[in-house]
Amino acid sequence: MIIEIFANLCMSMVSFMKGDPTEEKIERNIKELQAREWFRELYTQNERFIQTNENIRHIIGTVKVEKVFQSERKEERLKGDIIEALAGQPV
């Protein structure tokens, strides 16, 4: 519970400092991420949720895809963040 509150607070601070991603950036990042099989699979299974959930769209919109693709560790972290956000979706 405390960890979730802290995580939300940190995310809010980062959002404030970076600003919210634009729809254009989110859509561009989705297209770039679809070059990866793991993302295509997640997107195919969860397209509606990814298109409507603000948290996932924020995660996708704030990432610098070209830098993520340069680091296996960063890519795994992004994948984990997206999977974790998808796990919280209503059934």
Side-chain angles (χ1 to χ4, degrees):
M1 175 87 171
I2 292 175
I3 293 173
E4 289 178 34
I5 293 170
F6 182 71
N8 287 335
L9 179 62
C10 288
M11 185 175 228
S12 296
M13 290 173 58
V14 168
S15 295
F16 178 74
M17 292 186 305
K18 284 186 171 183
D20 288 330
T22 63
E23 284 300 311
E24 292 80 21
K25 177 146 191 220
I26 294 168
E27 292 303 320
R28 183 175 59 243
N29 284 356
I30 287 173
K31 286 180 182 170
E32 290 179 26
L33 285 167
Q34 288 190 12
R36 299 299 204 236
E37 185 176 337
W38 66 264
F39 185 79
R40 277 195 313 271
E41 186 176 312
L42 288 174
Y43 188 80
T44 300
Q45 295 170 357
N46 302 282
E47 181 176 0
R48 195 184 103 223
F49 191 71
I50 291 172
Q51 288 297 329
T52 59
N53 182 272
E54 289 182 32
N55 186 35
I56 290 179
R57 294 183 68 74
H58 187 271
I59 291 168
I60 292 171
T62 56
V63 73
K64 294 181 180 177
V65 177
E66 43 301 323
K67 287 192 176 191
V68 168
F69 287 172
Q70 293 173 0
S71 168
E72 188 176 319
R73 184 181 60 81
K74 288 180 182 179
E75 189 168 345
E76 283 299 316
R77 184 173 180 189
L78 174 62
K79 180 180 176 181
D81 289 346
I82 293 172
I83 289 171
E84 184 177 326
L86 287 171
Q89 71 177 310
V91 177

